[in-house]
Amino acid sequence: MKPDELVKLLNKHVIEGNLELYKKLLNTTTEATNPVWRGILPIYIYLSKEEKEVFLKFFKIVEINILSHVLGILD
């Protein structure tokens, strides 16, 4: 596999896939047992649409940074 193919694959399935999953979970979950989710849900629910978009953009940056670090370690 060529490097650019790997990057496209990782972006689609890891970055964008996870982002969509978390977005869906944040928008549809009304009750949680995990302490982290219990803490973030009330905050996320009361954000405006624009603030939610900014929150998810920040989360995308975090995902990219984590994947970058993992790939750096593997390299």
Side-chain angles (χ1 to χ4, degrees), residues 13-30 34 36-37 40-41 44-45 52 55-64 66:
H13 294 286
V14 177
I15 304 299
E16 296 301 329
N18 281 341
L19 193 59
E20 282 302 312
L21 172 65
Y22 285 117
K23 182 178 178 181
K24 181 179 178 182
L25 288 171
L26 286 166
N27 287 320
T28 59
T29 303
T30 57
N34 179 286
V36 175
W37 277 93
I40 198 65
L41 278 176
Y44 186 82
I45 289 169
K52 287 178 181 179
F55 177 83
L56 291 170
K57 285 179 184 177
F58 175 75
F59 190 72
K60 184 175 182 176
I61 291 169
V62 172
E63 286 186 320
I64 291 168
I66 292 169

Side-chain angles (χ1 to χ4, degrees), residues 6-7 10 14-15 18 61-75:
L6 178 62
V7 169
L10 289 172
V14 177
I15 304 299
N18 281 341
I61 291 169
V62 172
E63 286 186 320
I64 291 168
N65 286 338
I66 292 169
L67 185 55
S68 173
H69 286 250
V70 169
L71 291 173
I73 291 168
L74 293 174
D75 187 39

